PDB file of all heavy atoms in Angstrom:
ATOM      1  N   ASP A  14       4.424  14.536 -11.515  1.00  0.00           N
ATOM      2  CA  ASP A  14       4.707  14.671 -12.944  1.00  0.00           C
ATOM      3  C   ASP A  14       3.633  15.496 -13.630  1.00  0.00           C
ATOM      4  O   ASP A  14       3.907  16.313 -14.502  1.00  0.00           O
ATOM      5  CB  ASP A  14       4.784  13.289 -13.600  1.00  0.00           C
ATOM      6  CG  ASP A  14       6.046  12.541 -13.199  1.00  0.00           C
ATOM      7  OD1 ASP A  14       6.987  13.207 -12.733  1.00  0.00           O
ATOM      8  OD2 ASP A  14       6.066  11.303 -13.341  1.00  0.00           O
ATOM      9  N   PHE A 117      31.284  40.726 -22.350  1.00  0.00           N
ATOM     10  CA  PHE A 117      32.516  41.141 -23.020  1.00  0.00           C
ATOM     11  C   PHE A 117      32.263  42.070 -24.210  1.00  0.00           C
ATOM     12  O   PHE A 117      33.204  42.429 -24.923  1.00  0.00           O
ATOM     13  CB  PHE A 117      33.283  39.898 -23.485  1.00  0.00           C
ATOM     14  CG  PHE A 117      33.675  38.990 -22.354  1.00  0.00           C
ATOM     15  CD1 PHE A 117      32.802  38.013 -21.901  1.00  0.00           C
ATOM     16  CD2 PHE A 117      34.899  39.129 -21.721  1.00  0.00           C
ATOM     17  CE1 PHE A 117      33.156  37.176 -20.849  1.00  0.00           C
ATOM     18  CE2 PHE A 117      35.255  38.310 -20.664  1.00  0.00           C
ATOM     19  CZ  PHE A 117      34.376  37.322 -20.223  1.00  0.00           C
ATOM     20  N   MET A 126      32.186  52.442 -19.480  1.00  0.00           N
ATOM     21  CA  MET A 126      32.737  53.108 -18.296  1.00  0.00           C
ATOM     22  C   MET A 126      33.617  52.146 -17.501  1.00  0.00           C
ATOM     23  O   MET A 126      33.769  52.258 -16.286  1.00  0.00           O
ATOM     24  CB  MET A 126      31.614  53.670 -17.418  1.00  0.00           C
ATOM     25  CG  MET A 126      30.605  52.658 -16.921  1.00  0.00           C
ATOM     26  SD  MET A 126      29.388  53.372 -15.763  1.00  0.00           S
ATOM     27  CE  MET A 126      30.419  53.815 -14.366  1.00  0.00           C
ATOM     28  N   GLY A 137      32.278  32.619  -2.795  1.00  0.00           N
ATOM     29  CA  GLY A 137      31.506  31.413  -2.509  1.00  0.00           C
ATOM     30  C   GLY A 137      31.129  30.628  -3.741  1.00  0.00           C
ATOM     31  O   GLY A 137      30.436  29.621  -3.659  1.00  0.00           O
ATOM     32  N   ILE A 196      36.851  40.078  19.621  1.00  0.00           N
ATOM     33  CA  ILE A 196      37.331  38.728  19.308  1.00  0.00           C
ATOM     34  C   ILE A 196      38.757  38.813  18.762  1.00  0.00           C
ATOM     35  O   ILE A 196      38.961  39.108  17.576  1.00  0.00           O
ATOM     36  CB  ILE A 196      36.399  38.027  18.299  1.00  0.00           C
ATOM     37  CG1 ILE A 196      34.963  38.001  18.845  1.00  0.00           C
ATOM     38  CG2 ILE A 196      36.889  36.612  18.003  1.00  0.00           C
ATOM     39  CD1 ILE A 196      33.947  37.401  17.887  1.00  0.00           C
ATOM     40  N   ASP A 212      51.192  43.088   0.489  1.00  0.00           N
ATOM     41  CA  ASP A 212      52.285  42.465  -0.267  1.00  0.00           C
ATOM     42  C   ASP A 212      51.915  42.269  -1.733  1.00  0.00           C
ATOM     43  O   ASP A 212      52.774  42.344  -2.619  1.00  0.00           O
ATOM     44  CB  ASP A 212      52.646  41.110   0.350  1.00  0.00           C
ATOM     45  CG  ASP A 212      53.333  41.252   1.706  1.00  0.00           C
ATOM     46  OD1 ASP A 212      53.816  42.360   2.000  1.00  0.00           O
ATOM     47  OD2 ASP A 212      53.362  40.265   2.458  1.00  0.00           O
ATOM     48  N   ILE A 215      46.910  44.639  -3.316  1.00  0.00           N
ATOM     49  CA  ILE A 215      45.462  44.468  -3.407  1.00  0.00           C
ATOM     50  C   ILE A 215      44.794  45.394  -2.395  1.00  0.00           C
ATOM     51  O   ILE A 215      45.187  45.431  -1.225  1.00  0.00           O
ATOM     52  CB  ILE A 215      45.064  43.006  -3.115  1.00  0.00           C
ATOM     53  CG1 ILE A 215      45.623  42.072  -4.192  1.00  0.00           C
ATOM     54  CG2 ILE A 215      43.551  42.857  -3.022  1.00  0.00           C
ATOM     55  CD1 ILE A 215      45.449  40.604  -3.861  1.00  0.00           C
ATOM     56  N   ASP A 229      36.654  51.389  14.728  1.00  0.00           N
ATOM     57  CA  ASP A 229      37.886  51.845  15.384  1.00  0.00           C
ATOM     58  C   ASP A 229      38.909  50.721  15.494  1.00  0.00           C
ATOM     59  O   ASP A 229      40.122  50.946  15.328  1.00  0.00           O
ATOM     60  CB  ASP A 229      37.558  52.406  16.774  1.00  0.00           C
ATOM     61  CG  ASP A 229      36.752  53.698  16.700  1.00  0.00           C
ATOM     62  OD1 ASP A 229      36.711  54.297  15.611  1.00  0.00           O
ATOM     63  OD2 ASP A 229      36.162  54.080  17.724  1.00  0.00           O
ATOM     64  N   LEU A 249      18.219  54.210  -2.779  1.00  0.00           N
ATOM     65  CA  LEU A 249      18.157  54.739  -4.143  1.00  0.00           C
ATOM     66  C   LEU A 249      19.288  55.732  -4.359  1.00  0.00           C
ATOM     67  O   LEU A 249      19.769  56.334  -3.385  1.00  0.00           O
ATOM     68  CB  LEU A 249      16.787  55.375  -4.388  1.00  0.00           C
ATOM     69  CG  LEU A 249      15.586  54.411  -4.333  1.00  0.00           C
ATOM     70  CD1 LEU A 249      14.284  55.188  -4.452  1.00  0.00           C
ATOM     71  CD2 LEU A 249      15.682  53.344  -5.417  1.00  0.00           C
ATOM     72  N   PHE A 251      21.589  58.640  -4.421  1.00  0.00           N
ATOM     73  CA  PHE A 251      22.706  57.934  -3.813  1.00  0.00           C
ATOM     74  C   PHE A 251      22.688  58.272  -2.331  1.00  0.00           C
ATOM     75  O   PHE A 251      22.608  59.455  -1.988  1.00  0.00           O
ATOM     76  CB  PHE A 251      24.037  58.363  -4.427  1.00  0.00           C
ATOM     77  CG  PHE A 251      24.266  57.827  -5.812  1.00  0.00           C
ATOM     78  CD1 PHE A 251      23.962  58.601  -6.909  1.00  0.00           C
ATOM     79  CD2 PHE A 251      24.778  56.555  -5.997  1.00  0.00           C
ATOM     80  CE1 PHE A 251      24.170  58.113  -8.184  1.00  0.00           C
ATOM     81  CE2 PHE A 251      24.999  56.068  -7.273  1.00  0.00           C
ATOM     82  CZ  PHE A 251      24.692  56.836  -8.370  1.00  0.00           C
TER      83      PHE A 251
END
Side-chain angles (χ1 to χ4, degrees):
D14 288 341
F117 299 87
M126 58 175 295
I196 304 177
D212 290 343
I215 295 171
D229 292 344
L249 296 174
F251 287 96

